[in-house]
Amino acid sequence: ADGSIAAVLGLDFPASDWNIQLRKQMIPDILIVISVFMLIIALVNSTAKSIRLKRLSDQLALDEALYHGVFDQAPIGIAIVHDKSFVLQSEFGNSNINPMFEQILARTSGELEQIKWPEITHPEDLNADLKKFQRFKAGELDGYSMEKRFIRPDGSSVWTTMTISKLCGG
């Protein structure tokens, strides 16, 4: 108000230097924002995959229950064999001989695991079965069917119409 000057300060700072300094100050903030967005995207992706895996797991459980229901209640005998041996456990599951197969042969799965199928094939049917089986193993046949007799533990024979086919996993 009285016209006197107490102090004057003047600075000159180039605008280009000011902008460079401002950008350097913004880099950490930009990196934080980008990181937060990447984390959000990863979380959304992970949640979506988790939901899809849960749906697939539920579907697999239903399919497996259906398979076991059909396998265990089938009115035909089913057994998985490897070469000439009956298989109790494999990559296909723990139950590889169904109850009807056990009933037809009058043998339990445990008994069947200890013997090979040629041992319980009727001697008159064994040669024809082995010939077809060898051709099947050699890849000459995709599968075969034949009527043959199995020998039960009491020595009696049971006639069956047997169908052999490849079982491919996966």
Side-chain angles (χ1 to χ4, degrees):
D2 66 358
S4 64
I5 298 177
V8 173
L9 178 63
L11 293 176
D12 186 19
F13 195 79
S16 61
D17 289 346
W18 176 264
N19 287 335
I20 290 172
Q21 290 300 324
L22 186 61
R23 286 187 188 118
K24 284 182 183 177
Q25 295 286 328
M26 289 174 53
I27 289 175
D29 296 334
I30 291 171
L31 290 176
I32 290 172
V33 169
I34 290 171
S35 296
V36 167
F37 279 128
M38 288 174 59
L39 284 172
I40 290 171
I41 290 170
L43 181 62
V44 168
N45 188 30
S46 176
T47 302
K49 284 184 179 182
S50 176
I51 290 169
R52 185 167 188 268
L53 284 174
K54 174 70 173 123
R55 271 194 235 125
L56 288 173
S57 177
D58 291 345
Q59 183 63 45
L60 181 61
L62 287 173
D63 289 349
E64 185 173 359
L66 176 64
Y67 164 78
H68 283 291
V70 170
F71 185 82
D72 292 339
Q73 297 173 25
I76 60 171
I78 303 170
I80 297 174
V81 298
H82 180 265
D83 197 24
K84 294 179 182 166
S85 300
F86 294 98
V87 177
L88 278 189
Q89 295 181 348
S90 72
E91 64 188 271
F92 303 108
N94 291 333
S95 180
N96 294 318
I97 298 174
N98 76 342
M100 184 55 75
F101 192 83
E102 292 175 330
Q103 184 179 337
I104 292 168
L105 297 186
R107 298 175 188 268
T108 66
S109 295
E111 291 171 321
L112 290 168
E113 183 182 31
Q114 304 301 317
I115 54 180
K116 298 184 183 311
W117 62 260
E119 296 171 20
I120 58 172
T121 297
H122 193 281
E124 292 176 16
D125 302 328
L126 183 59
N127 193 32
D129 194 0
L130 287 173
K131 284 180 182 177
K132 286 185 178 185
F133 187 70
Q134 289 303 324
R135 290 184 60 210
F136 172 73
K137 280 180 38 178
E140 296 173 23
L141 301 173
D142 291 333
Y144 65 94
S145 291
M146 67 178 287
E147 288 188 8
K148 72 177 249 183
R149 292 165 284 183
F150 281 103
I151 302 170
R152 290 181 166 169
D154 65 5
S156 65
S157 296
V158 59
W159 277 98
T160 63
T161 300
M162 180 183 70
T163 301
I164 302 295
S165 64
K166 292 180 183 180
L167 180 64
C168 300

